[in-house]
């Protein structure tokens, strides 16, 4: 908690001074709360890139503050409350575990607007937003399905919540379409950002025969582990090529800047309202990092077509028939999973090895 408060105070002072004394007080104060460090080169890093874009585009109208390394739980509530008490009128909280703390603080500050990433609880002054990460994982599934030689894909996962589970399933479904013999092995690290645990998980998966590592955690440690072993990997949230130039096939890159600019403009114009935003590739809330030159041209062509089909609506990542691990049909032929079903996904599909923690 001490570090979070020090980070908050430091950021506030630096930004106020940089903005030029009393002039800064006339600007809209926008706050950001991150679960990891902005140096994670993954999820929190990308949210901060969005904050910087907001400053660049609306710098004469806003001043921003960020707090990094905020644990999910009581600490988060105190940090969010302090931002509101310090006069921030728009606050973005960027991790699933910040959901209840954000709601509690929003109830205490009805004149402040709050935005929570990846959650589902809203109120008159609390909106939610997320990206359809599973769309990117569908494209990744086809790529890794063609690149694997061992037919074992390792998946370093954070927490068994629907956002993560749907990503594993989307990748596995696409993987098995192009390579029916392939399987996915998952190791849970129960953390969004823990480089040692992420590296250990990646190495354990490699020892189990995985020759491609995919992750839904925030550090580049799994990429580095794959690079050390001479294998392939897929990055998370940002382009992680520099951490494993030979290993890095691509990455699912989150792009929050446009959303942050749009929502701030709406508040400045008096048109902000509580709503849920769930954007995908079509909405430019995510894209894929440049492909590794090692990926054959025909595989790139397949990936590009899948991307185009997702954008046009010709392909749904969860189009039936889909069976779970037990062989039970969960999505029938001719149907696709609804948004509600994706947001509540609590099962693994065929092709995933291991049980889903409950």
């Amino acid at each position: 908690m001490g570090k979070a408060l020090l980070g908050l105070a430091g950021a506030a002072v630096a930004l106020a001074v940089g903005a030029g004394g009393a002039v800064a007080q006339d600007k809209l104060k926008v706050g950001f709360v991150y679960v990891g460090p902005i140096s994670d080169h993954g999820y929190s890093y990308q949210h901060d890139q969005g904050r910087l874009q907001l400053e660049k585009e609306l710098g004469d109208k806003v001043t921003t503050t960020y707090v990094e390394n905020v644990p999910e739980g009581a600490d988060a509530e105190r940090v969010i409350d302090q931002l509101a008490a310090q006069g921030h009128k728009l606050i973005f909280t960027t991790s699933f575990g910040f959901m209840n703390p954000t709601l509690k603080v929003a109830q205490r500050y009805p004149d402040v607007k709050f935005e929570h990433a990846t959650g589902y609880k809203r109120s008159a002054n609390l909106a939610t937003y997320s990206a359809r990460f599973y769309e990117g994982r569908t494209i990744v599934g086809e790529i890794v399905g063609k690149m694997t030689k061992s037919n074992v894909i390792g998946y370093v996962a954070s927490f068994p919540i629907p956002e993560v589970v749907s990503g594993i399933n989307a990748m596995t479904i696409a993987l098995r379409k192009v390579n029916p013999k392939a399987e996915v092995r998952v190791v849970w690290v129960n953390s969004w950002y823990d480089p040692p645990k992420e590296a250990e998980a990646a190495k354990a998966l490699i020892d189990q025969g995985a020759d491609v590592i995919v992750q839904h955690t925030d550090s580049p440690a799994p990429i580095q582990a794959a690079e050390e072993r001479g294998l392939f990997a897929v990055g998370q949230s940002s382009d992680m090529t520099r951490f494993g130039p030979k290993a890095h096939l691509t990455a699912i890159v989150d792009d929050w800047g446009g959303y942050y600019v749009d929502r701030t403009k709406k508040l400045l114009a008096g048109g902000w309202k509580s709503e849920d935003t769930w954007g995908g590739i079509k909405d430019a809330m995510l894209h894929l990092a440049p492909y590794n030159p090692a990926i054959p041209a025909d595989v790139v062509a397949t990936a590009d077509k899948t991307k185009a089909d997702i954008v046009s609506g010709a392909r749904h990542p969860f189009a039936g028939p889909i069976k779970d691990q037990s062989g039970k049909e969960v999505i029938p032929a001719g149907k696709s999973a609804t948004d509600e079903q994706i947001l509540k996904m609590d099962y693994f599909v065929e092709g995933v090895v291991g049980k889903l923690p409950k």
Side-chain angles (χ1 to χ4, degrees):
M1 182 60 183
K3 289 183 178 179
L5 288 176
L6 284 172
L8 173 57
V13 170
L15 287 164
V17 171
V23 177
Q25 296 178 4
D26 298 328
K27 297 182 177 184
L28 175 69
K29 295 180 72 174
V30 184
F32 293 81
V33 184
Y34 307 140
V35 70
I38 61 172
S39 60
D40 68 2
H41 300 289
Y43 185 76
S44 292
Y45 170 83
Q46 281 301 115
H47 279 288
D48 201 59
Q49 291 299 299
R51 179 188 68 84
L52 293 173
Q53 182 177 334
L54 173 63
E55 280 196 336
K56 182 178 180 180
E57 295 193 27
L58 298 179
D60 59 335
K61 298 181 178 66
V62 303
T63 183
T64 71
T65 301
Y66 70 89
V67 192
E68 58 186 341
N69 283 318
V70 179
E72 296 175 328
D75 283 349
E77 184 176 341
R78 286 192 286 271
V79 169
I80 299 165
D81 189 282
Q82 186 169 357
L83 283 169
Q86 290 182 344
H88 293 82
K89 294 301 183 182
L90 178 60
I91 299 173
F92 295 94
T93 63
T94 62
S95 189
F96 182 81
F98 295 158
M99 180 168 61
N100 289 330
T102 304
L103 181 62
K104 289 179 181 179
V105 178
Q107 292 169 342
R108 294 198 289 268
Y109 294 89
D111 61 330
V112 177
K113 307 304 182 188
F114 296 83
E115 301 247 1
H116 176 239
T118 74
Y120 54 85
K121 293 184 179 180
R122 289 176 291 282
S123 65
N125 64 326
L126 170 58
T128 52
Y129 64 104
S130 188
R132 295 180 183 270
F133 307 113
Y134 64 86
E135 292 183 350
R137 298 196 187 282
T138 295
I139 300 168
V140 164
E142 293 191 342
I143 293 173
V144 300
K146 292 290 189 179
M147 299 302 291
T148 181
K149 295 179 180 178
S150 68
N151 289 331
V152 178
I153 307 301
Y155 206 110
V156 180
S158 49
F159 296 99
I161 59 175
E163 172 194 328
V164 179
V165 174
S166 65
I168 294 169
N169 285 342
M171 190 198 77
T172 305
I173 291 167
L175 168 75
R176 304 266 285 188
K177 284 184 182 297
V178 301
N179 187 348
K181 295 180 180 179
E183 64 182 30
V184 177
R185 295 180 178 270
V186 182
V187 171
W188 300 95
V189 297
N190 296 307
S191 174
W192 292 111
Y193 178 78
D194 190 326
K197 280 188 177 180
E198 293 173 61
E200 182 181 341
K203 291 173 183 176
L205 288 163
I206 293 170
D207 290 341
Q208 293 176 32
D211 63 351
V212 182
I213 298 296
V214 182
Q215 64 184 94
H216 198 144
T217 53
D218 298 340
S219 89
I223 302 292
Q224 293 168 319
E227 181 85 358
E228 290 171 3
R229 299 285 189 96
L231 303 174
F232 289 125
V234 175
Q236 162 73 7
S237 294
S238 71
D239 184 350
M240 295 180 169
T241 302
R242 61 189 179 280
F243 298 101
K246 294 181 180 178
H248 195 266
L249 290 173
T250 185
I252 299 164
V253 179
D254 307 336
D255 190 345
W256 305 108
Y259 181 81
Y260 289 149
V261 171
D262 178 67
R263 296 297 284 173
T264 304
K265 282 183 175 178
K266 281 184 168 60
L267 181 56
L268 289 168
W272 188 98
K273 64 179 181 179
S274 176
E275 58 190 23
D276 178 56
T277 300
W278 199 14
I281 297 173
K282 181 179 180 179
D283 311 289
M285 287 190 82
L286 71 150
H287 62 270
L288 292 185
Y291 295 136
N292 189 318
I295 303 177
D298 62 323
V299 178
V300 170
T302 297
D304 286 345
K305 183 179 187 307
T306 297
K307 175 184 175 181
D309 287 347
I310 289 173
V311 169
S312 71
R315 177 167 176 175
H316 192 292
F318 293 106
I322 297 173
K323 295 180 179 179
D324 66 14
Q325 285 177 312
S326 70
K328 175 186 175 183
E329 188 174 79
V330 287
I331 305 294
K335 300 288 185 180
S336 295
T338 64
D339 282 355
E340 183 180 9
Q341 288 174 317
I342 298 170
L343 290 167
K344 294 182 177 179
M345 200 163 279
D346 61 354
Y347 59 85
F348 277 149
V349 297
E350 285 185 322
V352 182
V353 177
K355 294 183 178 181
L356 177 62
K358 299 296 184 182

